[in-house]
Amino acid sequence: QSAIFNFQSLLTVILLLICTCAYIRSLAPSLLDKNKTGYFGCFSLCPGERKSPYVAACCVVMAFSILFVQ
């Protein structure tokens, strides 16, 4: 199935996007500037969500489903 229709795959893609953008922003902050437009401007908003309690809860749910459901 596609990642859009499978909840676990969609959750994995979103969490990897957030963590990858945070890592890229730590290496090259000018690449993901908040004032840019287009794709890079959209991706610059993701690293701010990394410390969100919702992202942490999604990581715990994903880890639980990978370890115990599959």
Side-chain angles (χ1 to χ4, degrees):
Q1 278 187 340
S2 175
I4 296 172
F5 300 114
N6 187 353
F7 177 70
Q8 183 176 356
S9 297
L10 179 65
L11 185 63
T12 304
V13 168
I14 291 171
L15 291 173
L16 285 174
L17 176 71
I18 290 170
C19 294
T20 303
C21 287
Y23 180 71
I24 291 173
R25 191 171 185 185
S26 69
L27 291 178
S30 62
L31 186 63
L32 293 177
D33 188 19
K34 289 184 180 180
N35 297 327
K36 288 189 178 181
T37 58
Y39 290 116
F40 290 120
C42 180
F43 291 143
S44 69
L45 300 175
C46 291
E49 298 296 324
R50 184 175 54 104
K51 295 180 182 177
S52 170
Y54 298 115
V55 173
C58 288
C59 287
V60 169
V61 168
M62 186 178 70
F64 179 79
S65 69
I66 288 173
L67 290 174
F68 298 112
V69 175
Q70 287 186 349

